[in-house]
Amino acid sequence: KFKNKIHNKRLLLVYVWSYEFIMKRKLSIFLAGISIFLFSHQRVSASIKNKLIVGNWNCKAEHFFDGGSLLQEYNQEVKDDGSAFFYGTYTMIFNNAPSRKFKVSGTGSWFISDKFFASKLNSFQSGKTGQNHDEKSPDFNKLVKTGTSSSYEIIKLTSSESEFMLDGTKTYCTKN
């Protein structure tokens, strides 16, 4: 009987060890499968988003500050090689003063990672246009720093519309 008990305990231990080994192996294979699925899903998702983002977009964003807002209206050409070009206007709208308008243009680079549209400003130019400019008018050429990067959260991206969020400000775009 004693030998039988020892033999049964050994069989039980072997069985438990085998079961744990098989379950751990199944779990690791399952987790590896999920990782591969998620990774490939992100790559496929980014690839689809890359195709959707390429094109010519009309965009608009309004940034609020004490005493007014800055309205950005621009056309942006996003190319499949990761480059972009934009041109348009910045309008400073003041609560207690006339608005001031600026022409702007520049170039940049971009990529999409998961749910973010990352961009880097490579060049920027601006000039005053219209009325109401004086010594208080800002010089955007000095204020806007080239080489800066931003990561916009993608709220919506379809073949005809896009919506992005950066620091609480939404940018809305429609495709030409």
Side-chain angles (χ1 to χ4, degrees):
K1 278 188 166 183
F2 182 72
K3 283 185 179 183
N4 228 1
K5 281 186 178 181
I6 291 175
H7 180 69
N8 286 342
K9 281 185 180 179
R10 283 186 185 158
L11 283 176
L12 182 62
L13 286 174
V14 168
Y15 173 77
V16 168
W17 180 83
S18 298
Y19 179 77
E20 285 179 358
F21 176 77
I22 291 168
M23 291 310 292
K24 285 180 184 177
R25 186 172 170 95
K26 282 184 180 180
L27 181 61
S28 64
I29 290 170
F30 175 74
L31 292 176
I34 286 179
S35 299
I36 290 168
F37 171 75
L38 291 175
F39 179 71
S40 65
H41 174 71
Q42 285 180 349
R43 288 182 55 187
V44 168
S45 178
S47 175
I48 291 168
K49 288 177 183 173
N50 283 354
K51 289 177 183 177
L52 290 174
I53 198 78
V54 171
N56 225 358
W57 296 87
N58 287 318
C59 300
K60 188 176 194 175
E62 190 166 10
H63 308 272
F64 294 92
F65 57 87
D66 286 339
S69 64
L70 173 65
L71 177 62
Q72 297 175 306
E73 297 175 293
Y74 57 94
N75 180 278
Q76 179 167 288
E77 182 181 349
V78 179
K79 298 181 180 179
D80 62 359
D81 66 358
S83 66
F85 170 77
F86 69 93
Y87 62 91
T89 59
Y90 286 3
T91 305
M92 294 193 74
I93 303 166
F94 299 100
N95 296 340
N96 298 320
S99 62
R100 297 179 179 129
K101 200 171 213 170
F102 304 84
K103 288 184 180 181
V104 296
S105 64
T107 62
S109 54
W110 66 272
F111 69 91
I112 290 180
S113 176
D114 196 20
K115 295 181 181 181
F116 292 91
F117 176 78
S119 66
K120 180 180 178 184
L121 184 63
N122 297 332
S123 69
F124 180 83
Q125 301 163 357
S126 80
K128 299 172 187 172
T129 183
Q131 302 173 357
N132 305 321
H133 287 282
D134 58 21
E135 67 281 347
K136 294 179 184 176
S137 292
D139 183 353
F140 283 106
N141 291 310
K142 292 180 181 175
L143 293 173
V144 176
K145 304 291 182 207
T146 58
T148 57
S149 296
S150 299
S151 186
Y152 297 82
E153 180 183 2
I154 300 170
I155 305 298
K156 178 180 184 178
L157 180 56
T158 69
S159 60
S160 61
E161 295 178 286
S162 62
E163 186 177 321
F164 305 97
M165 177 77 79
L166 177 67
D167 297 331
T169 298
K170 283 188 181 178
T171 300
Y172 301 94
C173 301
T174 56
K175 208 169 211 177
N176 292 339

